């Protein structure tokens, strides 16, 4: 007997001993058993597993993590399934956390090997596909136990559909919905142990919110990310076949892997939405004659759970759009006849829509895990042998795993991934974090990167040519190439391309789409979709809906469709509906967007160069004392803050390289020439003036002056251009600068105002004299350049302004740190030569008078030349 079992036996014995003290005299004396197993045999009607669950809950609080896992391994090995099924829901929740996100469980999303190596290794060994937890799952699976999973925690579209009494498309939910006996709305799914475990595992990525300290954790190093990779490699193998379930006991038989119920085939893919009350009428029992289909039920379940939990999230409009006309008609018919239903009436449509309108914003970690799934699915599908890839190779002799490889992406992933990507493109913030969504999208668009045979690099170092073998994939995923590319263009036109991270995203997309032969494949697919139907005009009405399969995945495989044009049309209509308005990627509308993007790329390159030049000039032109903070920056000629300010010249170089290559790739894809770019650049006013910096934003002349265009607003928001704004008010009333002493400036202003008010007449008389004394006084008491200023008006730009302001004395310069520090340095240098403060002050005044006399003569001579 193990230590854990002995502890349970002692606790049980103590409980029964105390129970004998409470037993009345007329009741037979209680027999004390040595173990819980003996008591279970003597009293089979008592619920013995509850004591095991209580003991495990107590240990989860008092024992360390390593000891708890050791005890769990012993319990899984020693106890039968009848006793383990009661602890299974608690154990799953304690590992992955509660569905409401309150309990974090083992916090697998933050568990890393380099931070907590002991806990990491123990958790990974316990949850490994061949580890103790999966042994528990298979042990319970063999006994056909069911566990309730609340519908309220499913993804929004699935929850709304089931609450409307409409069964979702996925066969994952067939024959599993349980209506509440009291007529309430608390619906549950009856799941087998493998499904229950995978539901919790997949949903923990969404329901468990990251902890505050988890922001700087690398996702690929976390236990959750690595477990997803292990499960995919185990259940969706690229080599060999799926490993059979582990035996429940050493030398014992393997548990039965068949969780399917006879009422509904498990893998009836592509079914229309039908009422839950009518499902048993519309689909009769279909006996799968091929027992080999049971070989891959775990692979099917794993993929369906991951896709449903991770990708089945989108907005209400998308949810309504993807409903087929047949489904909408059946839902309407069901709502009209709901009063005669046996079960409780469906939730009112207004309430159901309100319940569905919940915001869903995927996290960056969520997107990275989905990208891992897509990359593995490409490798899984591409592991088919060359002779098995073509549809003509399909036969009954083909193994179920090979059939599953062929159908995994088009049947399970394509539609939900398209809607998920559309949701991300429309709701993701306009910042650099969109890179995760971008790379996930580009990974799906390039299945050839994950093929066993790598394409050879060209001898001249150019990009690899996409083989014609991938033309069917491109055509059958046309919308994921074309419509999402247009969505990316709309995002790129609203982002700051001067930022190196945003420039890199544009470069990545342009590089992928510019691969040789890919643009031609996309263009061929668009031609197939846009060509008219001439041969069989009635087939569009008959077949342009989502395909229906009423049998199992293996027994009723649809016949191969040889009409490529029909396959492309079916793909587009199944995702967008038959009333969709398709915008060709190589049409005039998209070409205009590409030209605008090329525009902004050119502007961003010029702006990056201007910022770099200005930063270099300002750094070189600063005085020696600028490091003390005494340098006055010119507020009228500064650019807004940008990533370039933080990263320096290396960032400017990278941005220029990314944008240059992106522009080259776009010109290559859409066959743009230099003449077109130059003409468009001149038309939109992107040419620089003589100094290369002062460019006004794009605007048009209206009745009230200049009006900013959308392009001009974009340029101002992103700092690409700006209006020249110059202070033209009273120089004495300017805001106090950072290089000035605020209290001293205010004191000097009061002093100078008092002097000007008291001696205004005398100063005016001196300045009006025509001799040298008058010129000397005008140089000091009149504001220089006052009459030469221009009023910057949008209606009459450059109109001169004549403002008469009398002579006055300004002492504000004495409140500057630079002036005071210069005076202190002068007195310090004079003290080194044994010159006292008073003689030094006299020398400074004398020197200034000589300087002022020279400037007065030069100023007067300049005025004579102007006359």
């Amino acid at each position: 007997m193990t230590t854990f079992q002995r502890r349970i036996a002692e606790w049980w014995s103590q409980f029964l001993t105390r129970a004998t003290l409470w037993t009345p005299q007329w009741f037979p004396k209680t027999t004390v058993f040595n173990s819980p197993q003996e008591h279970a045999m003597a009293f089979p009607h008592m619920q013995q597993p509850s004591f095991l669950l209580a003991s495990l809950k107590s240990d989860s609080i008092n024992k360390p993590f390593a000891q708890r896992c050791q005890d769990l391994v012993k319990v899984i090995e020693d106890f039968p399934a009848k006793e383990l099924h009661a602890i299974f829901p608690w154990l799953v929740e304690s590992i992955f956390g509660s569905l409401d996100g309150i309990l974090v469980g083992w916090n697998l999303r933050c568990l890393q090997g380099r931070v907590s190596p002991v806990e990491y290794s123990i958790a990974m060994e316990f949850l490994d596909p061949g580890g103790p937890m999966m042994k528990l799952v298979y042990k319970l699976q063999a006994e056909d136990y069911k566990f309730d999973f609340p519908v309220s925690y499913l993804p929004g579209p699935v929850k709304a559909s089931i609450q409307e009494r409409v069964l979702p498309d996925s066969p994952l939910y067939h024959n599993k919905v349980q209506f509440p006996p009291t007529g309430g709305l608390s619906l549950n799914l009856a799941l087998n142990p493998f499904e229950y475990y995978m539901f919790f595992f997949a949903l923990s990525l969404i329901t468990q919110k990251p902890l505050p300290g988890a922001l700087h954790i690398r996702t690929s190093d976390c236990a959750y990310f690595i477990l997803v990779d292990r499960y995919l490699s185990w259940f969706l193998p690229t080599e060999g076949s799926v490993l059979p379930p582990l035996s429940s006991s050493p030398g014992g038989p393997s548990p039965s892997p068949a969780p399917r119920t006879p009422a509904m085939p498990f893998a009836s893919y592509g079914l229309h939405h039908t009422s839950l009350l009518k499902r048993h009428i519309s689909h009769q029992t279909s006996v799968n004659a091929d027992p080999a289909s049971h070989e891959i039920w775990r692979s099917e379940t794993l993929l369906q759970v991951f896709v449903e939990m991770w990708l089945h999230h989108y907005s209400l409009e998308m949810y309504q759009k993807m409903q087929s006309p047949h489904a909408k008609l059946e839902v309407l018919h069901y709502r009209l006849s709901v009063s005669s239903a046996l079960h409780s009436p469906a939730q009112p449509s207004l309430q159901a829509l309100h319940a569905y309108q919940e915001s869903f914003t995927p996290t960056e970690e969520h997107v990275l895990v989905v990208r891992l799934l897509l990359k593995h699915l490409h490798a899984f599908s591409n592991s088919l042998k060359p002779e098995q890839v073509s549809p003509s190779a399909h036969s009954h002799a083909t193994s179920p795993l090979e059939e599953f490889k062929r159908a995994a992406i088009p049947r399970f992933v394509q539609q939900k991934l398209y809607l998920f990507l559309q949701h991300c493109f429309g709701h993701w913030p306009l910042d650099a974090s969109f890179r995760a969504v971008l790379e996930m999208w580009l990974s799906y668009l390039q299945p050839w990167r994950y093929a066993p045979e790598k394409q050879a690099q060209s001898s001249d170092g150019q990009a690899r040519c996409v083989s014609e073998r991938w033309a069917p994939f491109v055509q059958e995923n046309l919308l994921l190439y074309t419509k999402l590319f247009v969505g990316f263009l709309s995002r790129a036109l609203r982002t700051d391309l001067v930022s190196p991270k945003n420039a890199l995203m544009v470069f990545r997309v342009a590089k992928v789409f510019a691969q040789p032969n890919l643009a031609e494949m996309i263009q061929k697919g668009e031609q197939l979709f846009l060509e008219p139907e001439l041969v069989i005009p009635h087939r569009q009405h008959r077949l342009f809906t989502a395909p229906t399969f009423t049998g199992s995945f293996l027994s009723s495989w649809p016949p191969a469709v040889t009409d490529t044009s029909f396959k492309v049309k079916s793909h587009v209509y199944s995702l967008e509906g038959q009333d969709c308005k398709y915008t060709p990627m190589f049409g005039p509308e998209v070409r205009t967007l590409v030209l605008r993007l090329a525009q902004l790329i050119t502007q961003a390159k010029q702006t990056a160069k201007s910022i770099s030049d200005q930063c270099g000039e300002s750094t070189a032109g600063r005085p020696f004392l600028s490091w003390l903070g005494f340098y006055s920056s010119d507020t009228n000629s500064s650019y807004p803050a940008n990533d370039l300010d933080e990263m320096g010249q290396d960032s400017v170089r990278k941005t220029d390289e990314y944008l240059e290559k992106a522009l080259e790739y776009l010109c290559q894809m859409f066959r743009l020439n230099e003449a077109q770019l130059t003409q468009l650049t001149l038309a939109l006013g992107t040419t620089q003036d003589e100094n290369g910096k002062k460019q006004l934003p794009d605007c048009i002349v209206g009745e009230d002056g200049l009006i900013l265009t959308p392009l001009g607003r974009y340029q101002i928001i992103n700092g690409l251009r700006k209006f020249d704004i110059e202070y033209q008010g009273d120089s004495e009333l300017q805001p106090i600068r950072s290089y000035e002493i605020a209290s001293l400036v205010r004191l000097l202003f009061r002093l100078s105002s008092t002097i000007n008010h008291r001696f205004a007449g005398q100063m005016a008389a001196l300045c009006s004299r025509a001799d040298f004394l008058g010129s000397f006084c005008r140089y000091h008491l009149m504001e220089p350049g006052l009459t030469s200023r221009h009023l910057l008006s949008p209606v009459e730009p450059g109109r001169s302004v004549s403002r008469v302001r009398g002579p006055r004395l300004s002492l504000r310069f004495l409140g500057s740190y630079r002036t005071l520090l210069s005076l202190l340095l002068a007195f310090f240098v004079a003290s080194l030569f044994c010159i006292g403060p008073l003689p030094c002050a006299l020398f400074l005044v004398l020197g200034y008078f000589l300087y002022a006399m020279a400037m007065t003569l030069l100023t007067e001579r300049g005025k004579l030349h102007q006359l």
Side-chain angles (χ1 to χ4, degrees), residues 672-821:
L672 305 178
N673 51 45
E674 286 294 329
Q676 289 176 310
L677 292 179
T678 304
Q679 181 180 4
L680 190 59
T681 299
L682 293 174
L684 295 180
T686 59
T687 55
Q688 295 178 312
D689 58 359
E690 55 275 3
N691 60 11
K693 298 175 185 176
K694 295 182 179 180
Q695 307 174 56
L696 294 180
D698 188 71
C699 50
I700 58 176
V701 180
E703 296 180 356
D704 299 328
L706 297 179
I707 301 176
L708 282 174
T709 64
L711 177 61
R713 285 192 290 270
Y714 166 84
Q715 292 167 344
I716 291 179
I717 292 174
N718 293 279
L720 301 178
R721 295 189 185 182
K722 63 185 181 66
F723 288 104
D724 290 329
I725 301 175
E726 182 182 355
Y727 182 79
Q728 294 190 343
D730 191 349
S731 59
E732 289 294 302
L733 300 178
Q734 292 187 62
I736 297 176
R737 309 294 186 181
S738 60
Y739 54 86
E740 294 177 325
I741 304 174
S743 57
L744 186 57
V745 168
R746 295 188 180 98
L747 180 62
L748 292 172
F749 175 74
R750 295 192 188 99
L751 178 61
S752 59
S753 299
T754 303
I755 296 174
N756 294 331
H757 180 71
R758 179 170 299 182
F759 301 101
Q762 292 84 338
M763 289 190 293
L766 288 174
C767 291
S768 62
R769 296 179 58 160
D771 53 4
F772 178 78
L773 181 59
S775 301
F776 188 83
C777 292
R778 285 192 296 271
Y779 177 77
H780 290 88
L781 300 179
M782 298 293 291
E783 187 174 352
L786 179 64
T787 59
S788 61
R789 290 191 177 179
H790 297 275
L791 177 63
L792 297 179
S793 171
V795 180
E796 299 179 16
R799 181 164 56 90
S800 298
V801 181
S802 59
R803 286 175 288 183
V804 179
R805 186 176 295 148
R808 58 179 178 171
L809 178 66
S810 177
L811 302 176
R812 182 166 178 166
F813 71 98
L814 294 175
S816 171
Y817 286 109
R818 290 184 299 166
T819 303
L820 296 178
L821 186 58

Side-chain angles (χ1 to χ4, degrees), residues 44-79:
H45 60 280
M46 295 189 66
Q47 295 183 357
Q48 166 63 23
S50 62
F51 299 105
L52 175 61
L53 179 59
S55 178
L56 291 175
K57 287 183 178 180
S58 176
D59 290 344
S60 66
I61 301 175
N62 302 321
K63 287 188 176 182
F65 179 75
Q67 184 62 38
R68 286 184 327 215
C69 290
Q70 292 179 4
D71 292 342
L72 286 173
V73 172
K74 291 181 172 58
V75 168
I76 293 172
E77 291 179 352
D78 297 341
F79 283 81

Side-chain angles (χ1 to χ4, degrees), residues 355-375:
Y356 177 73
Q357 290 176 0
E358 52 186 2
S359 60
F360 173 76
T361 304
T363 61
E364 190 172 348
E365 180 186 10
H366 181 178
V367 173
L368 292 175
V369 173
V370 172
R371 186 190 180 205
L372 174 65
L373 171 64
L374 297 179
K375 291 166 66 175

Side-chain angles (χ1 to χ4, degrees), residues 548-597:
T548 301
F549 307 104
T550 56
S552 75
F553 167 62
L554 299 171
S555 60
S556 46
W557 184 262
V561 181
T562 57
D563 189 348
T564 308
S565 175
F566 171 75
K567 291 168 66 176
V568 177
K569 295 176 186 287
S570 178
H571 155 71
V572 174
Y573 290 143
S574 64
L575 294 183
E576 288 290 328
Q578 298 191 21
D579 55 347
C580 70
K581 296 181 179 179
Y582 182 77
T583 303
M585 179 175 168
F586 296 93
E589 298 179 17
V590 179
R591 187 180 182 85
T592 303
L593 294 178
V594 173
L595 288 174
R596 283 185 57 194
L597 180 61

